Amino acid sequence: MPKTPPAALPPITASALAGHAEGVSNDEFRAAMSRLAAGVVLVTAFEPPLAPDGPKGEDVGMTATAFLSVSLDPPLVLVSLRTGARMDDLLDEQPLWAVSVLSESQRHIAGRFAMKGRISDRLLFEDIPYVRGEATGAPLVGGALAQLECRTEQRVEAGDHTLVIGRVLTARVPSAEGGPLLYFRGRYRQLG
């Protein structure tokens, strides 16, 4: 019995090659990756004061969807940060950070810390309930599905991002209420 030949692939045109030698444009890559649902977390760290007699330091936060478990033994996680972003610069100097896995009712927190040209982080944290992590001093958001405190083990440059691999120092599941906040096709979503 003769086999049916595979469907012909569309020709690669000059416009399809725009942006990358490998043939995938930024828009094509974004569109494809937007079909991958991702959990939403808030990555936080405490930025120590620049001088002992200066301001007391500041909490810093960033919404992330590129966060995953790497290893069980030792417990490692990974977060991808845009190179040169404030959180990337801070975690290059400060090895302690935390992650709050956001619930579906915390969409406003995700949006607040994902804004471009946003106001100061101090104001962003102002009305959000949180506790300070015992191991890191970083904010852990109240009502989160899970809270992790981490210490950077390794930083890997990857294109226009830095992959920060952290050893989990503490892990808590403070809330069993509600489902996870997801990011899919450019919008925050919930299960169901």
Side-chain angles (χ1 to χ4, degrees), residues 47-48 50 87-96 155:
E47 183 173 34
L50 296 174
M87 187 63 73
D88 179 42
D89 291 343
L90 176 56
L91 295 188
D92 192 29
E93 297 176 13
Q94 157 63 288
L96 299 174
R155 292 172 54 87

PDB file of all heavy atoms in Angstrom, residues 47-48 50 87-96 155:
ATOM      1  N   GLU A  47      15.627  44.962  48.803  1.00  0.00           N
ATOM      2  CA  GLU A  47      16.830  45.674  48.369  1.00  0.00           C
ATOM      3  C   GLU A  47      17.400  46.391  49.570  1.00  0.00           C
ATOM      4  O   GLU A  47      16.788  47.316  50.100  1.00  0.00           O
ATOM      5  CB  GLU A  47      16.484  46.664  47.267  1.00  0.00           C
ATOM      6  CG  GLU A  47      17.687  47.389  46.716  1.00  0.00           C
ATOM      7  CD  GLU A  47      17.321  48.236  45.505  1.00  0.00           C
ATOM      8  OE1 GLU A  47      16.198  48.783  45.462  1.00  0.00           O
ATOM      9  OE2 GLU A  47      18.169  48.351  44.615  1.00  0.00           O
ATOM     10  N   PRO A  48      18.579  45.949  50.052  1.00  0.00           N
ATOM     11  CA  PRO A  48      19.156  46.573  51.245  1.00  0.00           C
ATOM     12  C   PRO A  48      19.505  48.037  50.996  1.00  0.00           C
ATOM     13  O   PRO A  48      19.667  48.459  49.860  1.00  0.00           O
ATOM     14  CB  PRO A  48      20.423  45.752  51.514  1.00  0.00           C
ATOM     15  CG  PRO A  48      20.486  44.689  50.500  1.00  0.00           C
ATOM     16  CD  PRO A  48      19.403  44.904  49.498  1.00  0.00           C
ATOM     17  N   LEU A  50      21.555  51.421  50.495  1.00  0.00           N
ATOM     18  CA  LEU A  50      22.849  51.667  49.849  1.00  0.00           C
ATOM     19  C   LEU A  50      23.915  52.077  50.854  1.00  0.00           C
ATOM     20  O   LEU A  50      25.084  51.751  50.700  1.00  0.00           O
ATOM     21  CB  LEU A  50      22.703  52.743  48.772  1.00  0.00           C
ATOM     22  CG  LEU A  50      21.798  52.375  47.592  1.00  0.00           C
ATOM     23  CD1 LEU A  50      21.613  53.569  46.669  1.00  0.00           C
ATOM     24  CD2 LEU A  50      22.379  51.192  46.837  1.00  0.00           C
ATOM     25  N   MET A  87      14.681  43.605  38.724  1.00  0.00           N
ATOM     26  CA  MET A  87      14.810  42.373  39.502  1.00  0.00           C
ATOM     27  C   MET A  87      16.074  41.609  39.094  1.00  0.00           C
ATOM     28  O   MET A  87      16.762  41.048  39.938  1.00  0.00           O
ATOM     29  CB  MET A  87      13.573  41.499  39.348  1.00  0.00           C
ATOM     30  CG  MET A  87      13.557  40.280  40.249  1.00  0.00           C
ATOM     31  SD  MET A  87      13.530  40.651  42.030  1.00  0.00           S
ATOM     32  CE  MET A  87      11.848  41.217  42.237  1.00  0.00           C
ATOM     33  N   ASP A  88      16.399  41.606  37.820  1.00  0.00           N
ATOM     34  CA  ASP A  88      17.623  40.942  37.361  1.00  0.00           C
ATOM     35  C   ASP A  88      18.841  41.601  37.993  1.00  0.00           C
ATOM     36  O   ASP A  88      19.734  40.925  38.512  1.00  0.00           O
ATOM     37  CB  ASP A  88      17.713  40.995  35.836  1.00  0.00           C
ATOM     38  CG  ASP A  88      18.981  40.351  35.297  1.00  0.00           C
ATOM     39  OD1 ASP A  88      19.380  39.275  35.800  1.00  0.00           O
ATOM     40  OD2 ASP A  88      19.585  40.924  34.372  1.00  0.00           O
ATOM     41  N   ASP A  89      18.887  42.923  37.972  1.00  0.00           N
ATOM     42  CA  ASP A  89      20.017  43.647  38.567  1.00  0.00           C
ATOM     43  C   ASP A  89      20.102  43.391  40.074  1.00  0.00           C
ATOM     44  O   ASP A  89      21.184  43.167  40.607  1.00  0.00           O
ATOM     45  CB  ASP A  89      19.897  45.147  38.302  1.00  0.00           C
ATOM     46  CG  ASP A  89      20.091  45.502  36.835  1.00  0.00           C
ATOM     47  OD1 ASP A  89      20.630  44.671  36.074  1.00  0.00           O
ATOM     48  OD2 ASP A  89      19.675  46.610  36.442  1.00  0.00           O
ATOM     49  N   LEU A  90      18.948  43.409  40.750  1.00  0.00           N
ATOM     50  CA  LEU A  90      18.942  43.190  42.191  1.00  0.00           C
ATOM     51  C   LEU A  90      19.410  41.790  42.547  1.00  0.00           C
ATOM     52  O   LEU A  90      20.249  41.607  43.438  1.00  0.00           O
ATOM     53  CB  LEU A  90      17.541  43.448  42.769  1.00  0.00           C
ATOM     54  CG  LEU A  90      17.359  43.170  44.261  1.00  0.00           C
ATOM     55  CD1 LEU A  90      18.357  43.962  45.098  1.00  0.00           C
ATOM     56  CD2 LEU A  90      15.931  43.483  44.682  1.00  0.00           C
ATOM     57  N   LEU A  91      18.901  40.768  41.824  1.00  0.00           N
ATOM     58  CA  LEU A  91      19.287  39.393  42.151  1.00  0.00           C
ATOM     59  C   LEU A  91      20.718  39.066  41.721  1.00  0.00           C
ATOM     60  O   LEU A  91      21.261  38.043  42.107  1.00  0.00           O
ATOM     61  CB  LEU A  91      18.295  38.392  41.559  1.00  0.00           C
ATOM     62  CG  LEU A  91      16.875  38.472  42.125  1.00  0.00           C
ATOM     63  CD1 LEU A  91      16.033  37.308  41.613  1.00  0.00           C
ATOM     64  CD2 LEU A  91      16.869  38.522  43.639  1.00  0.00           C
ATOM     65  N   ASP A  92      21.314  39.942  40.946  1.00  0.00           N
ATOM     66  CA  ASP A  92      22.733  39.780  40.625  1.00  0.00           C
ATOM     67  C   ASP A  92      23.588  40.157  41.834  1.00  0.00           C
ATOM     68  O   ASP A  92      24.703  39.674  41.992  1.00  0.00           O
ATOM     69  CB  ASP A  92      23.092  40.666  39.427  1.00  0.00           C
ATOM     70  CG  ASP A  92      24.461  40.329  38.850  1.00  0.00           C
ATOM     71  OD1 ASP A  92      24.901  39.164  38.957  1.00  0.00           O
ATOM     72  OD2 ASP A  92      25.094  41.246  38.298  1.00  0.00           O
ATOM     73  N   GLU A  93      23.058  41.020  42.704  1.00  0.00           N
ATOM     74  CA  GLU A  93      23.775  41.462  43.901  1.00  0.00           C
ATOM     75  C   GLU A  93      23.236  40.836  45.179  1.00  0.00           C
ATOM     76  O   GLU A  93      23.971  40.598  46.121  1.00  0.00           O
ATOM     77  CB  GLU A  93      23.682  42.985  44.021  1.00  0.00           C
ATOM     78  CG  GLU A  93      24.351  43.721  42.879  1.00  0.00           C
ATOM     79  CD  GLU A  93      24.167  45.218  42.977  1.00  0.00           C
ATOM     80  OE1 GLU A  93      23.747  45.716  44.034  1.00  0.00           O
ATOM     81  OE2 GLU A  93      24.453  45.895  41.982  1.00  0.00           O
ATOM     82  N   GLN A  94      21.934  40.606  45.232  1.00  0.00           N
ATOM     83  CA  GLN A  94      21.253  40.112  46.414  1.00  0.00           C
ATOM     84  C   GLN A  94      20.805  38.665  46.137  1.00  0.00           C
ATOM     85  O   GLN A  94      19.939  38.444  45.308  1.00  0.00           O
ATOM     86  CB  GLN A  94      20.053  41.028  46.697  1.00  0.00           C
ATOM     87  CG  GLN A  94      18.899  40.469  47.507  1.00  0.00           C
ATOM     88  CD  GLN A  94      19.251  40.075  48.903  1.00  0.00           C
ATOM     89  OE1 GLN A  94      19.925  39.078  49.099  1.00  0.00           O
ATOM     90  NE2 GLN A  94      18.808  40.839  49.865  1.00  0.00           N
ATOM     91  N   PRO A  95      21.371  37.668  46.812  1.00  0.00           N
ATOM     92  CA  PRO A  95      21.057  36.274  46.481  1.00  0.00           C
ATOM     93  C   PRO A  95      19.761  35.739  47.084  1.00  0.00           C
ATOM     94  O   PRO A  95      19.343  34.640  46.748  1.00  0.00           O
ATOM     95  CB  PRO A  95      22.255  35.518  47.060  1.00  0.00           C
ATOM     96  CG  PRO A  95      22.672  36.349  48.233  1.00  0.00           C
ATOM     97  CD  PRO A  95      22.427  37.771  47.821  1.00  0.00           C
ATOM     98  N   LEU A  96      19.097  36.509  47.950  1.00  0.00           N
ATOM     99  CA  LEU A  96      17.893  36.010  48.625  1.00  0.00           C
ATOM    100  C   LEU A  96      16.639  36.612  48.003  1.00  0.00           C
ATOM    101  O   LEU A  96      16.550  37.824  47.814  1.00  0.00           O
ATOM    102  CB  LEU A  96      17.952  36.345  50.115  1.00  0.00           C
ATOM    103  CG  LEU A  96      19.133  35.737  50.874  1.00  0.00           C
ATOM    104  CD1 LEU A  96      19.164  36.251  52.303  1.00  0.00           C
ATOM    105  CD2 LEU A  96      19.083  34.221  50.835  1.00  0.00           C
ATOM    106  N   ARG A 155      23.242  31.599  37.884  1.00  0.00           N
ATOM    107  CA  ARG A 155      22.644  32.519  36.918  1.00  0.00           C
ATOM    108  C   ARG A 155      23.165  32.130  35.543  1.00  0.00           C
ATOM    109  O   ARG A 155      24.359  31.936  35.363  1.00  0.00           O
ATOM    110  CB  ARG A 155      23.021  33.960  37.243  1.00  0.00           C
ATOM    111  CG  ARG A 155      22.395  34.470  38.534  1.00  0.00           C
ATOM    112  CD  ARG A 155      22.939  35.840  38.924  1.00  0.00           C
ATOM    113  NE  ARG A 155      22.812  36.837  37.870  1.00  0.00           N
ATOM    114  CZ  ARG A 155      21.724  37.603  37.684  1.00  0.00           C
ATOM    115  NH1 ARG A 155      20.689  37.489  38.482  1.00  0.00           N
ATOM    116  NH2 ARG A 155      21.681  38.495  36.715  1.00  0.00           N
TER     117      ARG A 155
END
